[in-house]
Amino acid sequence: MQSSINRHGFPPDPDELIAEGDPPFADAAEQTAREKAADESLNALQHEVRLLNARIGVLREDAEAALKAKAASVDASAHVQLGDYPWLKLAAAIGATFIAARLVRRLPLGVLLAGFTGHIHEVRRQ
């Protein structure tokens, strides 16, 4: 067994002791049943974590595929309802609504009320 101080005055490196076959502690080579059970339990937990990571990966892939399929379905539906350029037509409709709202806000309140009274009068007649 080596002394606790080497010739340079420093304590020996534990890796050197292990490499020489001399364990740093007398009972270091013996593994108790409790440690073996703990190692087995640790290995089992690591295996379960790897399985869970694999399952999460599969779920992520499934979610991505579902989102892509839904996006394709929505796009196809928009093309069926609005034609070749659905997003351009939708943007034009939103723009027209915005401009109409601006124009209605600028109208005097009396003109609006006159239009509504005429409409209400027609509805009451029927």
Side-chain angles (χ1 to χ4, degrees), residues 57-96:
V58 168
L59 288 174
R60 280 186 182 148
E61 291 172 2
D62 289 347
E64 286 177 13
L67 286 175
K68 287 179 183 177
K70 183 67 175 172
S73 171
V74 167
D75 189 49
S77 176
H79 279 284
V80 167
Q81 291 177 8
L82 298 173
D84 290 336
Y85 300 102
W87 307 117
L88 179 63
K89 292 177 180 176
L90 191 61
I94 291 170

Side-chain angles (χ1 to χ4, degrees), residues 1 14 17-18 20-29:
M1 184 169 185
L17 293 175
I18 293 171
E20 293 175 8
D22 190 13
F25 306 104
D27 60 348

Side-chain angles (χ1 to χ4, degrees), residues 95-118:
T97 304
F98 177 77
I99 291 171
R102 287 284 181 151
L103 291 175
V104 167
R105 274 195 230 153
R106 289 186 181 170
L107 289 176
L109 187 61
V111 173
L112 288 175
L113 290 178
F116 284 131
T117 54

